[in-house]
Amino acid sequence: MEVFEITSEEFEDGHEFNRYLSSEYTDLSNEDLYIISGVTELNQSKFEECLEDRGWEFEEEYGAIKKIENQYSQNRRAEAYLHFDSDEQLFFFYTDQRKTEEINGALIPLLRKIKGLHYLYISPNVLKAVTEEIAEENDSAKVTEFIAKRTRGTDIPAEERPDKERTINYYGDDGLRTLREVEEKYGVLPHILEISIPGELTFRMDKEGVFKLKSGSLRLMFEYVDECINQCLDIKEAYDSTRIDDVEITEGDVVSQSTPAKIGLEAPLEYDDIGPLQESLRGNEYALIDSHAERGSVYFSSKIYDQENNLFFNVRADSSGIRVFPRENRDIGTFFRFFETVQSAVDERAKAESINYPIQ
């Protein structure tokens, strides 16, 4: 199964390509369109070099859009169109190939295995907020499917057994009402949503930045994609604000100074939250070294080793938030994964914040 063919023309940027697809896609393909979004700290040249190192070939160029291909198994070939947004350091793959085959087999692994990039994490709160916005703007809008979860350590109120982790899979035209009900009753938040605006659009979105057009207006779906992205850029901005500087204290005496990012917490961190956070980190291939926690005026510190990316960083936490200090090297994937773990284990409403002054 080959990716849909586009006409040979030049696209100035991703917005122009999106406008082209919005008007032409129904004539180009009968299949669902997938848009896989990611974030990177690499420039475009280095990013493309990493793709080539993974066996991807650049087959055609249409201005700002490039067609890429990869023979990822003996009998299977993945294809997609790539747009790299140099301003925001975001990238997007467009394809109508199969989710269970070419996308999961070749595209999704790129977001997990290449250092310096990561899938565009769209938090459950953002998914819920965008869904409520759609419902407010469209009286006929329905959630027809969702997967919602309650994770260990969450502070979301729940009427029934708040100490239990849960996953709820739901199918039905009353999904939005049901989602609100199960959030109140069981304290769950959405990880995957399918939304239908009758006569206009049916699409799917998930917390790993994958959007799927099933039918209807691609132009309208792009509006909601942009809304999700805009609400997620604060995570990248917080990461971008971190740095490691060599500071000369006296002549010939240089020390390393680290500027952290802060993960602000809506609910104050309590001593009992530290255990679930440590457990979640260990479960996500982080090793904790020289950890220290104090009761009373809550304080937690640790050196953390990201086993997946072979990288160290430090954290210091008090009741108001968690500061993340880079050490010798930084990696955007490490920061995004850590932020997602904090939202999962401590506070789903946590927000990434920049700190504009150095702290040793």
Side-chain angles (χ1 to χ4, degrees), residues 39-157:
V39 61
T40 183
E41 59 190 307
L42 307 177
N43 60 33
Q44 184 169 357
S45 176
K46 183 62 177 176
F47 174 81
E48 292 179 358
E49 182 182 318
C50 287
L51 293 189
E52 291 176 330
D53 289 343
R54 294 274 173 173
W56 287 85
E57 301 172 359
F58 289 77
E59 294 297 316
E60 301 286 345
E61 186 168 332
Y62 307 90
I65 305 301
K66 298 182 180 181
K67 184 179 179 182
I68 59 174
E69 301 181 1
N70 177 257
Q71 190 77 36
Y72 70 99
S73 72
Q74 185 174 1
N75 300 314
R76 292 175 180 166
R77 189 168 185 83
E79 301 178 337
Y81 294 97
L82 166 67
H83 172 242
F84 189 94
D85 182 342
S86 297
D87 293 332
E88 299 291 352
Q89 287 182 291
L90 302 175
F91 58 91
F92 303 89
F93 299 115
Y94 303 76
T95 185
D96 62 346
Q97 291 190 298
R98 296 165 295 185
K99 177 70 161 58
T100 56
E101 297 293 342
E102 293 85 2
I103 294 174
N104 286 345
L107 285 170
I108 296 298
L110 293 174
L111 308 178
R112 301 178 182 276
K113 295 182 178 179
I114 297 181
K115 191 171 182 179
L117 56 90
H118 195 262
Y119 59 79
L120 186 63
Y121 171 61
I122 302 173
S123 74
N125 271 297
V126 170
L127 290 176
K128 180 74 185 308
V130 172
T131 300
E132 292 289 356
E133 179 182 318
I134 293 171
E136 185 175 334
E137 294 174 351
N138 304 273
D139 292 338
S140 62
K142 300 181 290 185
V143 172
T144 54
E145 178 183 343
F146 68 78
I147 297 176
K149 297 185 179 184
R150 181 178 180 84
T151 53
R152 185 174 181 180
T154 181
D155 64 343
I156 292 180

Side-chain angles (χ1 to χ4, degrees), residues 284-289 303-313 331 333-335 337-338:
N284 282 282
E285 297 188 71
Y286 292 107
L288 281 70
I289 304 167
K303 179 193 295 184
I304 298 179
Y305 174 60
D306 179 357
Q307 300 174 72
E308 187 171 297
N309 290 310
N310 188 28
L311 183 145
F312 287 94
F313 62 97
D331 178 71
T334 293
F335 184 76
R337 290 203 308 118
F338 181 75

